[in-house]
Amino acid sequence: MTVIPLHQDRAVDADLFRALLRRHAAAVVVITAPGAPPAGFTATSFTSVSLDPPLVSFCLAKSASAWPAVHAASTIAVHVLTQEQEHVARTFATRGIDRFAAHGAWHPGPDDVPLLDGVLARIVCKVTQHVEAGDHTIVLATPELGEHHADATATPLVYHDGTYAHLRRSA
């Protein structure tokens, strides 16, 4: 293990911070928001915050193309991708395209939030708070509707060390 000293008098520099975070594995989600046009983006920052009351969060850069729609939305949807949906993750991570036209497999849900088909799990949430955090905003939301894949053996798509990865189930 390489130990890199962290100094008390300054923050970790950007290159070291990226290297440290590459060691963290995270499930890949696509978050969608209604709008004209609707917005959607690939994220690994999704997490549960509280069970009582139910609360989730994700982070989004204020410079992201999806930010105006997400900022204006009262309803968003979180889609946990299956290991077979790397193409969906790549589509919603691509800049300068109509992501929904390129993906195609979606339909409008409550409050016109786009709902992607065939995902491992889907959670429709009401946005409760925005918290400014550096060049990002943390969005807190309350889950209101949810459903999951009928196949209990389906596994999530994971992002680790700069690449998409798949989990293997142990016996």
Side-chain angles (χ1 to χ4, degrees):
M1 175 180 207
T2 303
V3 177
I4 301 172
L6 302 178
H7 302 282
Q8 298 296 334
D9 59 337
R10 66 175 190 254
V12 174
D13 69 52
D15 290 335
L16 174 57
F17 191 51
R18 275 189 214 90
L20 294 169
L21 293 179
R22 287 177 70 102
R23 300 322 192 261
H24 174 73
V28 179
V29 303
V30 169
I31 297 169
T32 59
F41 63 97
T42 301
T44 56
S45 63
F46 174 72
T47 191
S48 62
V49 175
S50 171
L51 292 175
D52 188 16
L55 198 60
V56 297
S57 72
F58 63 90
C59 302
L60 182 60
K62 292 178 245 179
S63 61
S65 62
W67 174 241
V70 171
H71 186 261
S74 61
T75 302
I76 56 96
V78 179
H79 306 83
V80 181
L81 301 184
T82 69
Q83 69 179 13
E84 291 84 17
Q85 292 181 306
E86 182 176 331
H87 65 285
V88 177
R90 291 187 183 283
T91 297
F92 281 89
T94 301
R95 297 173 194 252
I97 65 166
D98 179 341
R99 296 168 179 163
F100 292 97
H103 176 61
W106 68 278
H107 61 278
D111 299 327
D112 289 326
V113 68
L115 301 178
L116 305 183
D117 299 333
V119 296
L120 187 62
R122 178 172 44 222
I123 308 166
V124 176
C125 304
K126 286 293 184 189
V127 175
T128 59
Q129 188 175 1
H130 295 131
V131 178
E132 300 300 313
D135 62 355
H136 280 60
T137 296
I138 301 166
V139 178
L140 295 167
T142 301
E144 294 203 330
L145 300 169
E147 57 187 328
H148 57 82
H149 203 290
D151 181 358
T153 64
T155 57
L157 181 62
V158 175
Y159 195 74
H160 177 257
D161 202 18
T163 189
Y164 293 105
H166 304 161
L167 298 177
R168 283 181 294 190
R169 290 192 179 263
S170 58

